[in-house]
Amino acid sequence: MRNIKITTSIIPIAASICIPPKMPRRLKHCLLNWVIKSSNTNQKNIKSTCLNVIYRVKEGSYISDLALDIKNQKTFDVIEDFSDFKFIESSDDNIQTYLTQICESIKKKKISIENFQVLVPMYKGINGIDNLNNLMAEIFNSKHKKYQIGDKYYRIKDKVIQLVNDVDNNVYNGDIGYIKDINIIDKK
């Protein structure tokens, strides 16, 4: 940041409680600290605006507050249930059992899969996204044939989430959709 000319415009946009964008953490940390220090010292050439409204969650949701508490390593004795989420503390050995019970209950109550989401912080391992997605697909979508593509399995009507922006196809990180068709050519 020391080598930036005064005439250079930098427009960093970030939310400190959100999942960081795919940029090196050191660079993000450096940019945020630079903007914060600059705005705190009231330097004439540096303007900053703090956005106080989060538009990615519905009004009254506690999820953003919980994310901030977790980020700040706040310890919890008991986390109460809210209308838009339920936090279930579990040992690694019981996660799949709890998730299976919850999924079966949702299926039995005929709650739409569109109103159900599981947040998992890692991909690999027995309780990673890949494994838990397969578990949930068996519960919610076992009627459809599964296709192996690479090291993952997919079925028609599987719920999926976009992980990277694809501007050409108007699909963005976080968009949720459903598989309508699977066309396997050379298992790619």
Side-chain angles (χ1 to χ4, degrees):
M1 301 304 289
R2 284 179 263 144
N3 296 330
I4 294 177
K5 296 177 184 176
I6 290 183
T7 57
T8 302
S9 294
I10 297 178
I11 306 173
I13 300 173
S16 61
I17 63 168
C18 292
I19 297 170
K22 289 187 176 181
M23 74 180 337
R25 285 184 184 199
R26 185 161 167 70
L27 175 60
K28 180 185 174 219
H29 180 73
C30 182
L31 277 171
L32 286 174
N33 281 339
W34 183 70
V35 169
I36 290 166
K37 284 178 187 174
S38 300
S39 63
N40 288 341
T41 59
N42 293 321
Q43 292 185 19
K44 293 178 184 176
N45 296 329
I46 299 178
K47 297 176 185 174
S48 66
T49 301
C50 219
L51 304 177
N52 297 314
V53 178
I54 299 172
Y55 293 97
R56 296 182 118 191
V57 295
K58 70 180 183 179
E59 191 175 331
S61 174
Y62 182 70
I63 290 177
S64 296
D65 295 331
L66 179 62
L68 183 59
D69 289 345
I70 291 170
K71 177 182 177 266
N72 292 332
Q73 299 180 351
K74 179 180 174 186
T75 56
F76 302 94
D77 292 328
V78 175
I79 296 180
E80 58 186 291
D81 293 340
F82 291 86
S83 63
D84 57 342
F85 79 94
K86 179 175 180 119
F87 187 91
I88 301 171
E89 189 171 348
S90 170
S91 67
D92 288 348
D93 296 338
N94 294 324
I95 289 174
Q96 290 189 18
T97 302
Y98 284 140
L99 184 58
T100 300
Q101 290 170 356
I102 292 166
C103 291
E104 292 291 352
S105 175
I106 285 170
K107 190 174 174 182
K108 185 177 178 180
K109 292 178 182 177
K110 298 186 190 286
I111 295 173
S112 171
I113 189 72
E114 293 175 8
N115 296 321
F116 178 67
Q117 186 171 352
V118 177
L119 304 176
V120 181
M122 60 192 175
Y123 282 93
K124 302 294 179 191
I126 192 162
N127 294 314
I129 292 169
D130 296 336
N131 228 15
L132 297 182
N133 278 344
N134 289 331
L135 174 76
M136 289 186 290
E138 287 295 326
I139 295 168
F140 290 113
N141 199 14
S142 60
K143 295 176 189 170
H144 291 89
K145 178 182 175 186
K146 67 180 171 181
Y147 297 88
Q148 183 172 0
I149 301 171
D151 62 345
K152 295 183 177 53
Y153 292 94
Y154 300 94
R155 304 169 198 240
I156 304 296
K157 294 191 177 181
D158 271 353
K159 185 177 182 178
V160 292
I161 187 167
Q162 182 71 15
L163 298 177
V164 294
N165 291 336
D166 184 349
V167 178
D168 295 337
N169 289 307
N170 198 29
V171 181
Y172 298 93
N173 181 26
D175 286 353
I176 295 174
Y178 297 86
I179 297 176
K180 289 184 177 179
D181 191 22
I182 297 176
N183 184 3
I184 297 182
I185 299 171
D186 299 328
K187 293 196 174 193
K188 291 183 181 177

